[in-house]
Every structure is written in C-alpha cells, then in structure tokens.
C-alpha cells in the first residue's frame, strides 16, 4: 500500500506506473484477441479486421514476434523503470 500512497504524492512515479499498466493491459488483451483470431486459421484464414502482411504464416509470425518483444523485453523494462523510480522516491523522499 506504500506504493499507492507514493503515487499520490510523487508525480514522477505516475509515468512509469501508467506505462507499466498500459503495456500489461495491451499484452493481456492482445494475447487473448490473437488466440481467438488464430483459433481456426486452417479453414477460413485470418479475420478481415486483422491487418495482414504477406502470407498467413508471415502474419502469424510477425504478430507473435511483436507480442514476445512486448512480453519479454518492453514489460520488464517498464517494471524496472517503476522499481527504479520507487526506490529513488523512497531514498530521497517525496520532494525529489
């Protein structure tokens, strides 16, 4: 609960917290949407609302690569940014 009160006190903590939360939401929702979209590729192909690049295999590979980069690189970086900002907040106090 100390993090929530720190978010109210220090505006410099809000940016990494919001970035982490938005990225986590994009990863979770996007993973569910892609699971539904790629569920029956064999019969009818990809849904019309999903932007495609090249063949079906290239499209699937590019979306999976994008979400792997978001999950395993971008999300940990934003969480480290949040941890750094929180540690700095705790070390220097709410003024800095």
């Amino acid at each position: 609960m100390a993090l929530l009160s720190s978010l109210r006190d220090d505006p410099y903590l809000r940016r990494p917290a919001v970035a982490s939360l938005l990225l986590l939401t994009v990863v979770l929702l996007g993973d569910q949407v892609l699971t539904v979209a790629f569920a029956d590729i064999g019969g009818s192909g990809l849904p019309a609302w999903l932007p495609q690049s090249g063949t079906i295999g290239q499209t699937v590979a590019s979306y999976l690569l994008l979400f792997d980069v978001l999950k395993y690189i971008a999300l940990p970086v934003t969480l480290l940014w949040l941890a750094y900002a929180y540690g700095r907040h705790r070390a220097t106090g709410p003024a800095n």
Side-chain angles (χ1 to χ4, degrees):
M1 287 302 160
L3 178 62
L4 291 178
S5 64
S6 298
L7 284 173
R8 289 186 202 108
D9 296 339
D10 193 0
Y12 293 110
L13 281 175
R14 291 183 198 140
R15 233 178 289 150
V18 169
S20 298
L21 186 63
L22 286 176
L23 192 56
L24 182 64
T25 304
V26 166
V27 166
L28 291 176
L29 290 178
D31 193 31
Q32 292 297 320
V33 168
L34 288 181
T35 301
V36 170
F38 296 157
D40 63 322
I41 286 180
S44 61
L46 293 172
W49 54 265
L50 188 67
Q52 298 180 17
S53 61
T55 64
I56 292 174
Q58 290 171 340
T59 303
V60 170
S62 63
Y63 279 112
L64 292 178
L65 179 65
L66 171 70
F67 278 98
D68 281 347
V69 167
L70 290 177
K71 275 191 267 189
Y72 300 118
I73 296 174
L75 187 60
V77 167
T78 58
L79 290 174
L80 284 172
W81 180 28
L82 177 63
Y84 173 77
Y86 183 65
R88 186 172 175 165
H89 169 76
R90 294 286 292 178
T92 59
N96 192 0

